[in-house]
């Protein structure tokens, strides 16, 4: 094991440029992934806050009877998605409008706003589809004039989040692919540089598994180094964004460890994919 | 211990190098492998340490059969035999003792055992005083002794030597050959390919002569007959 580690370091010193290139591409791969994950994460935070305020507001016809409204509220309250149902009279609506839009408080008159039933959904039932679905059901009550919910822009936020996630994954994968190709090339050169040692190892009975070890360790070390670099870059990016654009939250420790692990996987995979073939060429 | 049965070896570009080769070597024997250049001596040795596998026929070495042999089995076989070459094949970037230790290290020998073993081996080949020197600081004969020490590291049952004295002058040749005899006396079989006919004539060891890919003479078959050696 100690020997393997030392051999890995030798490989490192033999091809510093290629090693640096491998580490950088691994870092870029994880950075692309990290950056877009950061966007997705923060959008998700934003969405959660927005969603918690999502309300379906069913405006009531003026002639709706109190009993039918009460019955309907009971039915709606029993929907699995619904957290709370609230009746808002014309007066309350006016009051609310006046406090929310102080500048225009004078222009609102009694009877200007209709009474409504306000519905809040439970967490986990606030996706655009679910909101639309519940709204659709509420619309079927005879005394409901109109149903409003902030559908479009929630949909938009969702789209942005999905695009960011997809972009992160695709870019990350592309860079990971490039990193693996570069590492494979590095391994090829490293094996050739050590052909003499390898052929002697063979001669005295070292197994393929043993000969492979230092190259895999080298890949692992490069992967971790790439991961640390990516972590630094992502962290720096989040600082810049926080300072100049919007306050952002950074990943939990668990997720950053996952990033390092990802780097290690890319490094080891890149090595493993070519080392077997390369060392077989040495006799 | 070693048995070739109707072995044929064809190389991709050069064609048939060995044809219908059958012989066996017993435990502890000393065997000279002779024959003109290109006859197939190195090919026979490579088949013994399974660097090459026969195209037809079978090679059997200490319980390992060439037919369907796995790479792992070849690695394990190599731990039971030692190989030396004309060009020594030492690692130039490390000391004599590191070169010998390397062979033990890569098969997972514990460190303390390596240390005692290496000093014992270097003493055996008469190089204890040069343990920390680099290969290039040694003469050819001394370098070959290092290679032999390395080959002996795993206590092999056979030492396969491909023209071990090919690069050495007479004096160094005698020294290395003397060492090989000592090793043989201690119980290790030695198979030595050589062009040095003087050496062959002067000793009464078994001679296998190869020519154009075939065994044309085996002194074990014709006891008492003087080996007829093509120059
Ligand atoms: N790896 C190889 N690939 C193709 N042909 C080979 C290979 N090794 C040997 N040969 C061919 O096999 C034949 C026998 O070669 P080999 O090396 O066994 O001869 P040799 O008796 O050891 O000769 P020398 O005394 O010159 O070392 C030669 O014709 C050679 O060209
Ligand atoms: Mg030869």
């Amino acid at each position: 094991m100690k020997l393997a580690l030392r051999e890995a370091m030798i490989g490192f010193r033999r091809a510093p440029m290629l090693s640096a290139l491998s580490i950088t591409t691994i870092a870029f791969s994880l950075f692309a992934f990290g950056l877009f994950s950061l966007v997705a994460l923060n959008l998700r935070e934003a969405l959660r806050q927005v969603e918690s305020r999502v309300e379906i507001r069913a405006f009531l016809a003026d002639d709706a009877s109190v009993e039918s409204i009460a019955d309907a509220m009971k039915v709606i309250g029993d929907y699995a998605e619904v957290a709370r149902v609230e009746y808002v009279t014309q007066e309350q609506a006016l009051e609310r409008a006046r406090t929310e839009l102080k500048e225009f408080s004078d222009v609102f008159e009694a009877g200007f706003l209709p009474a409504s039933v306000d519905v809040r959904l439970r967490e986990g039932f606030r996706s655009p589809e679910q909101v639309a679905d519940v709204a659709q059901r509420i619309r079927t009550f005879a005394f409901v004039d109109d149903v409003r919910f902030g559908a479009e822009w929630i949909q938009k936020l969702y789209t942005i989040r999905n695009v960011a996630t997809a972009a992160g994954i695709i870019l990350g994968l592309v860079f990971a692919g490039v990193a693996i190709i570069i590492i494979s090339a590095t391994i090829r050169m490293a094996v050739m540089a050590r052909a003499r040692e390898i052929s002697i190892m063979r001669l005295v009975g070292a197994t393929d598994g043993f000969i492979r070890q230092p190259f895999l360790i080298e890949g692992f070390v490069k992967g971790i180094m790439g991961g640390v670099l990516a972590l630094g870059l992502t962290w720096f990016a989040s600082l810049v964004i926080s300072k100049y654009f919007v306050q952002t939250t950074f990943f939990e420790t668990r997720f950053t460890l996952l990033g390092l692990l990802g780097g290690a996987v890319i490094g080891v995979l890149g090595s493993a994919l070519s080392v077997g073939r390369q060392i077989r060429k040495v006799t | 211990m070693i048995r070739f049965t109707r072995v044929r070896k064809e190389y991709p570009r050069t064609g048939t190098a060995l044809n219908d080769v059958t012989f066996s070597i017993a435990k502890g024997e000393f065997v000279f492998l002779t024959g003109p250049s290109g006859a197939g001596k190195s090919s026979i040795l490579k088949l013994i340490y399974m660097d090459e596998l026969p195209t037809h026929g079978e090679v059997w070495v200490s319980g390992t059969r060439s037919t369907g042999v796995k790479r792992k089995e070849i690695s394990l076989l190599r731990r039971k035999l030692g190989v030396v070459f004309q060009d020594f094949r030492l690692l130039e970037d490390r000391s004599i003792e590191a070169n010998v230790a390397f062979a033990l290290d890569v098969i997972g020998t514990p460190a303390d055992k390596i240390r005692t073993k290496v000093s014992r081996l270097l003493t055996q080949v008469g190089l204890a005083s040069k343990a920390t020197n680099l290969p290039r600081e040694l003469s050819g004969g001394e370098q070959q002794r290092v290679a032999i020490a390395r080959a002996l590291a795993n206590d092999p049952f056979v030492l396969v030597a491909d023209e071990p004295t090919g690069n050495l002058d007479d004096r160094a040749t005698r020294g290395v050959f003397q060492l090989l005899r000592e090793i043989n006396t201690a119980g290790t079989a030695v198979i030595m390919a050589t062009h040095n006919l003087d050496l062959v004539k002067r000793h009464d060891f078994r001679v296998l002569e190869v020519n154009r890919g075939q065994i044309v003479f085996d002194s074990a078959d014709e006891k008492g007959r003087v080996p007829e050696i093509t120059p």
Side-chain angles (χ1 to χ4, degrees), chain B residues 41-42 162-163:
Chain B
K41 301 183 293 296
S42 296
D162 196 351
E163 296 183 39

Side-chain angles (χ1 to χ4, degrees), chain B residues 118-138:
Chain B
V118 168
S119 67
R120 217 193 66 211
L121 287 163
L122 288 180
T123 308
Q124 187 184 349
V125 301
L127 285 174
S129 61
K130 305 215 166 162
T132 55
N133 283 90
L134 293 172
R136 73 176 119 80
E137 294 165 341
L138 270 57

Side-chain angles (χ1 to χ4, degrees), chain A residues 9 12 14 44 102 142 186 213 228 255 258:
Chain A
M9 286 303 121
F12 224 82
R14 284 219 176 117
R44 204 178 58 194
K102 278 207 186 68
T186 320
Q213 250 182 49
V228 170
F255 195 83
L258 212 64

Side-chain angles (χ1 to χ4, degrees), chain B residues 36-43 45-46 86 162-163 193 195:
Chain B
S37 182
K41 301 183 293 296
S42 296
S43 297
L45 298 184
K46 282 180 183 167
Q86 185 172 358
D162 196 351
E163 296 183 39
H195 282 145

